[in-house]
Amino acid sequence: MIPGLMQDVPLLTTAILTHAETAHGRVEIVSRTVEGRLHRYDYAGLAARTRQLARALQGLGVKSGDRIASLAWNTHRHMELFYAVPGLGAVLNTVNPRLFDDQIVYVLEHAESTVLFYDRTFAPLVERLADRFTTVKTFVLMSDADSHDAGAVGALNYETLIGPESDAAFAWPRFDENAGAFLCYTSGTTGDPKGVLYSHRAVVLHGMAAGLASAFGLTAFDVVMPCSSLYHATAWGLPFICPINGCKLVLPAEKMDPASLQELIVGEGVTFSGGVPTIWTMYLDWLAQTGQDVGALKRVIIGGSAVPRAMAETFKVKHGVQVLQIWGMTETCPLGVVATPTPSIAALGEDQVDEVIWTRQGRLQFGIELKIMLEDGSEAPRDGETSGALMVRGPWTIRRYFRKEDDALLDGGGWFDTGDIATLDEHGFMRITDRAKDVIKTGGEWISSIDLENIAVACPGVKIAAVVGIPHPKWEERPLLVIETHEGRTVTRDEVLDYLRPRIVKWWMPDDVVFAAVPLTATGKIDKKTLRAAWNGHLS
Ligand code: ADP
């Protein structure tokens, strides 16, 4: 080979910030603060305060490779950490505050974070656990200066810390694009949380790809409100995708209740939002109750768990909003696929487009290869029918977990096993049928718990439907349907079974329907491990 003769510019996250400042400097960023006010500035303002923060971090002795932790909501201050920390070559460890205490301690200790930035909401948590954070030397409370409370940990104040620093031009260091930038831990529903260390290269390539028309299709006319958490796999990369494309950014802090979201959606002209299904269930209910409309909202990306078909349909039919289902995981930075139409699907008519978009997790995107592997190791045909282990490969897919040097995570071909069971069709659409550990194995056949849940959740009065496989004396496992109803609604077992009967094959019928609160994991998914343990003996 002969070397190419183009410029050797590393793909670093600071390039995104610099681009946003120069190309879209006056585009607004609106953030709710934890104090409850609305903070407004623009990409130039973000860049300026990020330079101040970078200087303050250097003053604290932060060096390349250090891990800096955050326990924070979707706010402008968290965004500043998103750029300042990796910009210096250090790593931002975004901690999920919904983990259990022991898991939070595990994450901070495992990451060996030396500075912890936290929102006021988490002050009690930090004070409770501070003695167990053996590597943290400095605590910084991300609050307004006049409402600062150093607490028992003697926290510095974010504003007081960065205030005296200059926002003049800063010589962002130039380093290898493969350097670590963000350290995100999986929620650890099985075993300890596992650290996924995103490189600058992965974050930048992912950010470029996710904005494409085949994916989120964002332009400078969009006003984007991420309702997935910045601490969970970088909120699907929106903190990078928006500045790349010049979108106005609206950050809701922790206020994900419908009325608070509506205030921003209507008040700020939000055109595009995204979050896990739970948030939208509450929002759609609230719209139905109040009779309000969705303002300029046009598209919503939903993922993290399967999108109930009824949700996508209500969004379209009642509110003219297009739902794009996405699938991804912490290990894929996190975007894998997005459900956007193709000419081959469009040719089959609008109903077919809706059907595909609403019931498939998404289609193949450049930068992440997918294949379905069968139990004998062979590749499944792309027929939309044959399900198997979903394997992924690409520049923003994990190679190895943080500090798990001995793990042989990938197969010989460099593929990562996602733990999901899926099908792939001739149009390149992927459909998740289950997580490998949640699939219900009954009499040698498999039942998709996701499919059953999707049907059951459309039964009137049902708010959340969870299906788990429970040990059964004859059939190995049989499905149990656990239902949480909408507040103030009563639904009977027979009503649910009558609703299911014409819609599913007979052997899929749950052996029982029970009514109980459905537990959720730290990332808002149905906690099937807890459900299985709670109902384990129910059918024996
Ligand atoms: P956790 O820490 O909860 O595992 P992740 O975000 O990494 O958090 O979870 C990724 C998993 O979530 C995927 O492997 C898949 O099982 C599930 N998931 C994500 N998006 C979807 C979707 N659209 N439909 C069904 N399952 C999904």
Side-chain angles (χ1 to χ4, degrees):
M1 70 108 171
I2 61 166
L5 294 175
M6 311 312 277
Q7 297 183 10
D8 182 15
V9 179
L11 300 172
L12 301 179
T13 53
T14 37
I16 298 176
L17 185 64
T18 307
H19 165 74
E21 182 176 25
T22 45
H24 326 288
R26 296 272 76 94
V27 172
E28 234 187 339
I29 302 175
V30 183
S31 173
R32 216 184 263 291
T33 67
V34 175
E35 288 86 2
R37 62 191 173 81
L38 285 187
H39 175 273
R40 289 177 189 278
Y41 62 174
D42 52 24
Y43 282 114
L46 168 68
R49 278 178 46 103
T50 301
R51 291 191 283 269
Q52 290 180 281
L53 175 57
R55 290 189 167 98
L57 287 167
Q58 285 182 323
L60 292 176
V62 171
K63 306 176 307 299
S64 166
D66 287 357
R67 270 80 71 198
I68 309 301
S70 63
L71 270 167
W73 301 113
N74 291 9
T75 68
H76 65 292
R77 292 185 181 119
H78 207 180
M79 274 292 282
E80 291 157 13
L81 281 169
F82 261 56
Y83 282 97
V85 173
L88 292 173
V91 171
L92 185 65
N93 170 211
T94 53
V95 183
N96 181 343
R98 295 194 205 277
L99 295 175
F100 301 120
D101 281 5
D102 284 353
Q103 293 176 318
I104 292 178
V105 172
Y106 176 89
V107 166
L108 272 136
E109 291 288 292
H110 189 261
E112 297 178 329
S113 289
T114 53
V115 184
L116 171 60
F117 285 82
Y118 64 99
D119 276 334
R120 161 181 312 288
T121 332
F122 306 117
L125 183 154
V126 169
E127 305 224 338
R128 187 168 72 238
L129 302 178
D131 285 350
R132 299 171 64 192
F133 298 157
T134 62
T135 58
V136 176
K137 301 283 172 284
T138 312
F139 293 87
V140 184
L141 176 67
M142 300 161 81
S143 74
D144 294 345
D146 57 10
S147 59
H148 182 69
D149 177 0
V153 296
L156 303 175
N157 176 261
Y158 185 91
E159 294 300 328
T160 315
L161 179 71
I162 74 166
E165 301 293 344
S166 160
D167 66 2
F170 183 80
W172 290 108
R174 183 181 160 125
F175 46 85
D176 184 348
E177 64 186 20
N178 289 300
F182 290 86
L183 180 55
C184 305
Y185 282 73
T186 60
S187 67
T189 37
T190 50
D192 285 327
K194 296 193 282 283
V196 186
L197 181 54
Y198 299 170
S199 63
H200 281 260
R201 172 183 161 81
V203 170
V204 173
L205 289 175
H206 173 278
M208 290 168 76
L212 293 174
S214 64
F216 295 174
L218 288 172
T219 75
F221 293 92
D222 278 302
V223 179
V224 177
M225 179 167 72
C227 296
S228 49
S229 305
L230 291 192
Y231 60 71
H232 185 203
T234 73
W236 299 337
L238 287 168
F240 313 106
I241 307 164
C242 292
I244 288 175
N245 294 288
C247 312
K248 174 177 167 181
L249 191 56
V250 180
L251 297 165
E254 81 283 24
K255 293 265 189 220
M256 304 290 181
D257 63 284
S260 302
L261 292 183
Q262 180 74 347
E263 196 182 308
L264 293 180
I265 289 173
V266 173
E268 301 301 328
V270 171
T271 62
F272 184 102
S273 189
V276 294
T278 332
I279 290 171
W280 305 113
T281 305
M282 294 191 293
Y283 182 62
L284 287 175
D285 278 357
W286 184 86
L287 287 178
Q289 280 160 22
T290 58
Q292 297 211 22
D293 69 50
V294 298
L297 189 64
K298 292 282 170 302
R299 288 178 303 150
V300 176
I301 47 170
I302 310 182
S305 309
V307 177
R309 194 183 192 286
M311 173 179 287
E313 196 167 349
T314 309
F315 257 126
K316 178 175 172 179
V317 176
K318 295 221 172 107
H319 305 290
V321 172
Q322 189 192 6
V323 167
L324 307 177
Q325 177 151 202
I326 62 178
W327 167 91
M329 61 196 313
T330 307
E331 286 86 340
T332 60
C333 232
L335 203 60
V337 299
V338 189
T340 47
T342 59
S344 59
I345 301 290
L348 304 174
E350 194 182 341
D351 286 352
Q352 193 55 24
V353 172
D354 286 345
E355 182 60 25
V356 169
I357 302 304
W358 295 344
T359 61
R360 309 291 192 273
Q361 267 61 29
R363 69 175 162 103
L364 286 165
Q365 302 287 327
F366 176 69
I368 180 150
E369 292 177 85
L370 311 186
K371 78 169 179 187
I372 308 294
M373 202 181 66
L374 300 174
E375 276 178 348
D376 64 5
S378 65
E379 190 172 341
R382 285 177 43 175
D383 58 6
E385 297 280 330
T386 315
S387 63
L390 175 64
M391 313 285 288
V392 296
R393 185 166 74 174
W396 56 85
T397 296
I398 190 168
R399 176 156 52 94
R400 182 189 295 155
Y401 290 107
F402 183 55
R403 296 181 56 204
K404 298 256 187 215
E405 279 71 16
D406 300 334
D407 272 8
L409 196 59
L410 309 183
D411 75 2
W415 294 88
F416 170 70
D417 185 344
T418 62
D420 285 326
I421 305 293
T423 65
L424 202 55
D425 73 17
E426 57 177 320
H427 303 285
F429 281 83
M430 184 272 278
R431 195 169 80 87
I432 300 273
T433 56
D434 234 321
R435 270 193 162 185
K437 57 186 187 302
D438 295 337
V439 84
I440 300 158
K441 297 188 172 132
T442 186
E445 299 288 341
W446 287 9
I447 297 177
S448 157
S449 65
I450 294 185
D451 284 353
L452 257 181
E453 285 161 2
N454 261 337
I455 296 166
V457 81
C459 174
V462 173
K463 185 173 167 196
I464 308 178
V467 175
V468 282
I470 300 293
H472 186 279
K474 181 165 175 205
W475 299 109
E476 194 180 345
E477 278 183 352
R478 286 297 302 161
L480 172 74
L481 173 57
V482 185
I483 281 184
E484 184 173 321
T485 55
H486 283 289
E487 281 73 22
R489 287 291 300 267
T490 36
V491 184
T492 66
R493 178 179 185 277
D494 286 345
E495 276 167 14
V496 175
L497 292 175
D498 287 346
Y499 181 84
L500 293 179
R501 203 160 285 119
R503 293 176 169 85
I504 57 176
V505 290
K506 213 167 149 209
W507 62 277
W508 278 37
M509 270 312 243
D511 279 33
D512 200 4
V513 182
V514 294
F515 296 86
V518 172
L520 299 179
T521 67
T523 49
K525 299 180 215 294
I526 295 171
D527 185 350
K528 299 206 173 168
K529 202 171 104 184
T530 300
L531 275 182
R532 272 191 293 264
W535 296 96
N536 189 47
H538 191 69
L539 302 179
S540 43

